[in-house]
Amino acid sequence: MSSEEPHANGSLKPDEQSDPCVMVIFGASGDLTKRKLIPSLYNLAKSHLLSRQFAVIGIARSEMSHEQFREKITSDMKEFATGDIDDDLWDWVQRRLYYMPGGFSDDATYQNLKTLLDQVGKEHGAHNNYFYYLATAPDYFGEIVKRLGAAGLATEDENTGWRRVIIEKPFGHDLESARALNVELKQVLHEKQIYRIDHYLGKETVQNILVFRFGNGIFEPIWNRRYIDHVQITAAESVGVESRGGYYETSGALRDMVPNHLFQLVTLTAMEPPISFEADAVRDEQSKILHAIQPMSDEEVLRRTIRGQYGDGTAKGERVPGYRQEASVNPNSGVETFVALKILIDNWRWADVPFYLRTGKRLPKRVTEVAIQFKRAPFVLFRDTGVEKLTPNRLVIHIQPDEGISMRFGAKVPGPIVKLGEVDMDFNYEDYFGKTTSTGYERLLYDCMAGDATLFQRADMVEAGWSVVNPILDIWKALPPRSFPNYAAGTWGPKEADELMERDGRRWRKSEADFSG
Ligand code: BG6
């Protein structure tokens, strides 16, 4: 086997492989690199999707040689690979890993990078294509791009290959800072070079929302205000803030999850059919939804947004501390670990159909889903039967875990009297497609290497998301501190979240019976 031939890549299909390129990871000693990026590259190589002319340069502060970096990553892979490791293939991958120590604010780093890129690029035939993955603290995003620009490493012209930059979240911490970052990036890069990542879009179940809605003829006609009563979107986590107290103190649940992940689910669920799967066709429709979200007045923020913070409680049968007792958290912290909100999308399809969103840490279970609640059928036919009420149909897109889609409807319970039971029609990914071993980053990395930005955020989308969230942040800041904690770990958030729904005559999905279907 030649050293250029990855063993498990024997049947590479040239048309499906990513472009030849070098990937530069800023922040290569961090969690993202070992947990997601390297395992994803390995999975891409395994599925024959990674170009043979590929290499990685990791940059971080710690001193390490190329060899030490390879050894470290090889040992990390034992822990974080999502499936079995083929030794020959891994050997092929690890020989393409390079490392250089450097501070992100040092000019020397960028000069050294230039030299190394040139050398590595030539050695692996990377056609002068580079992409930079900024897996660093957000404070560095603007600075790194500025310095890449100054070193001539971001320019695309007829003499260079392509240059792209992937920016991790958080993209700004409010509207103003997101705008400022966009301005900073655009001083160096064209919009088409910027790939703002949201890992929710790497999830198969999230990508499938578009296919489900627009690849089937039967759902679209009923996907509107005439048939749908409301939509409930939940991203519940059973874990607490774990080791990320320091970050979370500057963020809170609203910033951490809503303008990015939850709004992705909202836009994909609510958007009009795009005219093609071209990046801008899809993103134009998503953007329209964000712009159609009704802005909240001060008074509406008070009525339609609920925040909570967990106190101590029980998770998986064990006592767990409250948020304020977590590492790196202020013991009097006013930061929310739960948020519920009701938003309205003012357009012809959705007017008067509320979208209820909730997300939080230390909730009773890990579940992310989009539940579409249809309107109840007219009862008249059942008036003289023993049936007391009809249960509305519900379609649930199970994002994770237990990925799938289920439809609940009423059926006659066999027997001489008319009795209705609730039954479920279930599609489970694993049953049909087997277990997948992906990290969720493969498609995103592959798309970036292919120059397809469909699953990345455009500047206007990020800003539109923050525009919805900003008034909420402003009002919360202006209010006297909430008396936190207001929900116990292991429960479904503060009681006000229930009241938000009850006021509208609705309720959150919560019980095991709710989640069984
Ligand atoms: C991250 C948030 O973006 O998403 C975390 O910063 C959160 O706080 C995570 O836990 C949730 O992602 P997933 O894929 O587990 O739903």
Side-chain angles (χ1 to χ4, degrees):
M1 192 175 74
S2 107
S3 67
E4 285 313 305
E5 283 300 320
H7 169 72
N9 259 359
S11 58
L12 283 168
K13 297 179 206 122
D15 54 331
E16 289 181 358
Q17 274 169 42
S18 59
D19 275 8
C21 61
V22 180
M23 171 183 187
V24 178
I25 307 176
F26 285 89
S29 57
D31 262 15
L32 191 72
T33 304
K34 66 180 180 196
R35 286 175 189 271
K36 304 287 181 189
L37 302 182
I38 302 289
S40 309
L41 293 172
Y42 174 78
N43 290 344
L44 283 174
K46 198 167 181 177
S47 4
H48 318 308
L49 293 171
L50 193 66
S51 169
R52 268 172 281 192
Q53 290 148 289
F54 176 78
V56 175
I57 297 178
I59 308 183
R61 271 184 215 90
S62 25
E63 288 291 333
M64 247 188 294
S65 65
H66 301 313
E67 210 34 63
Q68 285 167 324
F69 183 59
R70 290 173 190 156
E71 278 163 21
K72 175 188 168 322
I73 297 279
T74 302
S75 113
D76 291 338
M77 269 300 277
K78 296 201 175 99
E79 194 176 345
F80 297 113
T82 55
D84 293 341
I85 304 180
D86 173 302
D87 288 341
D88 288 336
L89 179 61
W90 175 249
D91 184 56
W92 181 87
V93 173
Q94 64 95 21
R95 275 187 284 116
R96 275 151 186 77
L97 303 179
Y98 297 82
Y99 180 81
M100 49 160 272
F104 306 143
S105 313
D106 297 344
D107 284 339
T109 302
Y110 299 83
Q111 290 314 316
N112 296 342
L113 176 61
K114 205 171 181 173
T115 314
L116 189 59
L117 264 172
D118 202 41
Q119 179 199 322
V120 168
K122 281 198 182 107
E123 189 166 335
H124 293 281
H127 291 208
N128 212 347
N129 296 325
Y130 309 147
F131 78 105
Y132 308 99
Y133 198 116
L134 309 195
T136 65
D139 294 348
Y140 286 115
F141 295 162
E143 168 148 27
I144 292 175
V145 168
K146 197 166 90 198
R147 287 175 183 276
L148 285 170
L153 287 168
T155 320
E156 271 183 356
D157 59 36
E158 60 278 12
N159 305 315
T160 66
W162 50 254
R163 306 276 184 270
R164 295 171 191 147
V165 181
I166 301 189
I167 316 264
E168 259 296 331
K169 77 173 269 262
F171 196 94
H173 59 270
D174 56 14
L175 179 58
E176 201 187 328
S177 54
R179 275 192 183 140
L181 181 55
N182 276 329
V183 168
E184 223 178 335
L185 298 179
K186 286 187 185 181
Q187 279 162 1
V188 177
L189 302 164
H190 297 291
E191 177 64 32
K192 72 174 181 37
Q193 295 176 277
I194 308 173
Y195 288 69
R196 299 173 191 80
I197 207 164
D198 183 319
H199 80 278
Y200 260 53
L201 288 175
K203 296 180 193 290
E204 282 293 344
T205 41
V206 174
Q207 292 165 19
N208 188 46
I209 298 176
L210 286 190
V211 174
F212 177 74
R213 286 190 56 201
F214 303 130
N216 293 294
I218 59 171
F219 302 111
E220 206 38 33
I222 54 168
W223 209 262
N224 58 50
R225 61 197 297 265
R226 181 146 184 227
Y227 298 99
I228 294 179
D229 175 73
H230 75 277
V231 177
Q232 276 187 38
I233 301 185
T234 299
E237 295 184 271
S238 53
V239 292
V241 287
E242 301 179 289
S243 56
R244 295 168 72 230
Y247 154 75
Y248 210 78
E249 279 286 277
T250 64
S251 149
L254 182 67
R255 285 187 171 95
D256 189 41
M257 295 291 289
V258 176
N260 34 63
H261 309 327
L262 290 192
F263 280 2
Q264 299 301 346
L265 298 178
V266 170
T267 57
L268 295 173
T269 305
M271 70 195 262
E272 295 301 313
I275 53 163
S276 75
F277 277 128
E278 290 287 304
D280 278 335
V282 174
R283 298 187 301 177
D284 283 347
E285 296 306 334
Q286 288 181 279
S287 176
K288 281 187 208 161
I289 292 296
L290 294 169
H291 284 102
I293 296 177
Q294 207 178 71
M296 284 190 215
S297 65
D298 297 359
E299 202 254 333
E300 279 162 343
V301 170
L302 297 179
R303 270 192 299 123
R304 302 208 326 233
T305 71
I306 309 296
R307 51 193 164 138
Q309 186 194 79
Y310 62 86
D312 58 0
T314 312
K316 293 204 180 111
E318 284 186 13
R319 291 300 298 173
V320 291
Y323 174 68
R324 291 178 175 184
Q325 287 75 54
E326 302 275 16
S328 312
V329 170
N330 177 344
N332 298 312
S333 176
V335 167
E336 82 286 354
T337 59
F338 173 95
V339 54
L341 34 140
K342 170 178 167 185
I343 58 171
L344 295 168
I345 299 174
D346 253 345
N347 66 13
W348 279 74
R349 189 189 283 265
W350 296 113
D352 304 324
V353 179
F355 280 61
Y356 299 94
L357 318 184
R358 71 179 156 165
T359 183
K361 303 270 184 200
R362 281 285 184 231
L363 301 184
K365 64 190 283 165
R366 174 170 182 252
V367 56
T368 302
E369 59 168 40
V370 178
I372 315 283
Q373 177 92 36
F374 290 91
K375 289 188 173 163
R376 219 182 280 273
F379 185 70
V380 59
L381 189 63
F382 294 89
R383 205 185 290 141
D384 298 325
T385 66
V387 176
E388 283 169 14
K389 66 176 177 49
L390 295 180
T391 311
N393 299 114
R394 189 170 56 220
L395 182 109
V396 183
I397 302 173
H398 304 275
I399 306 291
Q400 66 187 19
D402 308 327
E403 290 82 358
I405 295 177
S406 60
M407 177 82 200
R408 180 164 289 191
F409 55 93
K412 181 177 173 301
V413 177
I417 48 169
V418 182
K419 234 173 136 190
L420 287 195
E422 288 178 15
V423 297
D424 291 306
M425 228 158 40
D426 276 332
F427 149 61
N428 188 297
Y429 273 73
E430 207 179 320
D431 296 345
Y432 280 82
F433 305 121
K435 223 178 169 46
T436 51
T437 55
S438 91
T439 65
Y441 275 68
E442 290 84 354
R443 165 86 191 264
L444 298 173
L445 292 174
Y446 178 77
D447 281 359
C448 174
M449 292 186 256
D452 180 351
T454 313
L455 296 178
F456 293 85
Q457 301 302 290
R458 231 171 31 193
D460 59 309
M461 296 164 77
V462 174
E463 292 179 15
W466 278 118
S467 301
V468 176
V469 162
N470 234 56
I472 306 175
L473 291 169
D474 289 344
I475 297 289
W476 284 1
K477 201 162 140 200
L479 288 173
R482 286 280 343 234
S483 63
F484 281 158
N486 60 354
Y487 71 98
T491 66
W492 281 107
K495 64 175 188 343
E496 290 92 333
D498 293 337
E499 289 161 7
L500 173 76
M501 284 289 234
E502 282 158 12
R503 277 204 303 270
D504 294 350
R506 302 184 173 107
R507 66 173 194 87
W508 292 107
R509 284 161 54 74
K510 269 187 184 181
S511 64
E512 277 315 307
D514 288 330
F515 290 118
S516 66

